[in-house]
């Protein structure tokens, strides 16, 4: 009886370790035929890649304001008639 209790304890400990390692991995990707397939929960995953873009989010507005200032400055200088 003592041996069966220890075997049952070992099986429970092994099952607990397997369950803990399966939940701690985070992403359940699989590889089938050389393809890496996403997990079934890929829509809920966090974004891990951010494409390169402008440094500021208002870069178009800044560019438009600079263009406006140049136009205003050229209008103040007056027309250049030759």
């Amino acid at each position: 009886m003592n041996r069966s209790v220890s075997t049952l304890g070992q099986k429970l400990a092994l099952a607990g370790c397997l369950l803990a390692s399966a939940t701690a991995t985070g992403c359940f990707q699989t590889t089938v035929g050389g393809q890496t397939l996403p997990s079934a929960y890929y829509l809920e995953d966090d974004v891990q890649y951010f494409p390169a873009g402008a440094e500021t989010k208002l870069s178009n507005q800044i560019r438009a304001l600079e263009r406006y200032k140049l136009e205003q400055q050229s209008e103040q200088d007056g027309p250049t008639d030759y």
Side-chain angles (χ1 to χ4, degrees):
M1 175 95 181
N2 192 12
R3 186 171 176 100
S4 65
V5 172
S6 66
T7 306
L8 179 64
Q10 289 175 350
K11 288 181 182 180
L12 286 175
L14 179 63
C17 288
L18 289 175
L19 181 65
S21 67
T23 58
T25 56
C27 185
F28 293 104
Q29 290 182 340
T30 60
T31 303
V32 177
Q35 298 180 15
T36 302
L37 303 175
S39 69
Y41 305 104
Y42 72 97
L43 294 175
E44 287 99 22
D45 285 344
D46 292 335
V47 176
Q48 297 177 6
Y49 171 75
F50 298 99
E55 291 292 323
T56 62
K57 294 183 179 184
L58 303 174
S59 60
N60 291 335
Q61 184 177 1
I62 293 170
R63 209 173 311 125
L65 285 172
E66 289 174 353
R67 196 175 317 127
Y68 175 75
K69 288 178 185 178
L70 287 174
E71 289 174 4
Q72 292 297 318
Q73 186 179 9
S74 65
E75 287 178 8
Q76 288 178 357
D77 292 343
T80 54
D81 292 333
Y82 293 99

